[in-house]
Amino acid sequence: MPTYPQEPDRAAPDPAEPVPEGAGPPPRGDLPQPGPSRHGAANGEPGPDAAGPASAEDEYTTAIQELEDRWRRALADLDNLRKRHARELERERAVERARTAAAFLPVLDNLELALTHAGADPGAIVEGILAVRDQAVNVLELLGYPRHAETGVAFDPARHEVVGIVQDPDATPGTVVEVLRPGYGDGERQLRPAAVTVAKRE
């Protein structure tokens, strides 16, 4: 059988052939080659790292704008609430003033009625004035301001205002001898204290 000379394998390098300086090993077909992405290079689009910082800055700017808008809306709501509260408070004050004034209208009516009978019996006029006074005192008590004009009670700096010290052998020292001006109300709802004279202490 005739034999033919075998051709050398061109894929395998000849170990005796010198390798040029600076040349690396031949690339392998099963390994990815380094370099720019074929998809990005083909489409001309930047990679994900190129848009990262700009996108984060846009997100921060948007978040700050949203917070500023919420802050402005909160300020507007607070201002509207303050104005509404002021209107409601003024309305309640007006209602309370009207209620107090209406409570004194019958007192004024009785005073005018007493003045129309000024030429009648003086005793009847005095009785009418006393009745009007009692009616006014009752109105103040209904509004929460009872009258205080008691004598013989112990002096109370929260309810009494001393305008004089007197020596009265019949009075207990430190007690109210005379009420010169009645007081109205108690505690925090006190309109004024009673002006009194107090028995001198021994």
Side-chain angles (χ1 to χ4, degrees):
M1 177 181 291
T3 60
Y4 299 94
Q6 297 181 355
E7 295 182 358
D9 189 1
R10 296 182 180 180
D14 188 359
E17 184 180 355
V19 180
E21 185 179 356
R28 294 177 57 183
D30 58 343
L31 295 179
Q33 301 301 318
S37 174
R38 296 182 179 178
H39 179 73
N43 297 336
E45 298 178 357
D49 294 339
S55 177
E57 184 177 355
D58 293 340
E59 291 180 359
Y60 294 151
T61 302
T62 303
I64 291 175
Q65 291 177 352
E66 291 179 356
L67 290 176
E68 289 179 351
D69 292 340
R70 292 173 59 185
W71 175 65
R72 292 190 182 94
R73 287 195 298 268
L75 287 180
D77 293 341
L78 181 62
D79 186 62
N80 293 334
L81 179 62
R82 181 184 60 81
K83 293 179 180 179
R84 183 167 63 251
H85 178 70
R87 290 193 298 267
E88 292 178 355
L89 182 61
E90 182 61 28
R91 184 166 57 251
E92 290 295 331
R93 288 175 177 173
V95 170
E96 187 64 23
R97 287 193 297 266
R99 186 173 72 89
T100 303
F104 274 97
L105 289 180
V107 178
L108 292 175
D109 293 339
N110 289 331
L111 282 175
E112 291 179 357
L113 184 61
L115 290 175
T116 58
H117 295 80
D121 184 11
I125 297 237
V126 172
E127 291 179 0
I129 292 176
L130 289 176
V132 172
R133 192 277 311 271
D134 293 339
Q135 185 180 17
V137 169
N138 184 47
V139 170
L140 285 175
E141 186 173 359
L142 291 177
L143 292 175
Y145 304 102
R147 184 173 187 264
H148 297 292
E150 303 85 1
T151 59
V153 298
F155 170 74
D156 184 359
R159 297 172 55 186
H160 300 133
E161 177 186 355
V162 179
V163 296
I165 303 294
V166 296
Q167 190 166 2
D168 188 348
D170 297 332
T172 303
T175 59
V176 175
V177 176
E178 183 182 5
V179 177
L180 304 178
R181 186 188 63 198
Y184 294 92
D186 294 306
E188 296 181 354
R189 294 179 57 85
Q190 185 183 69
L191 292 178
R192 70 179 186 189
V196 299
T197 58
V198 181
K200 185 178 179 180
R201 297 181 181 273
E202 298 294 338

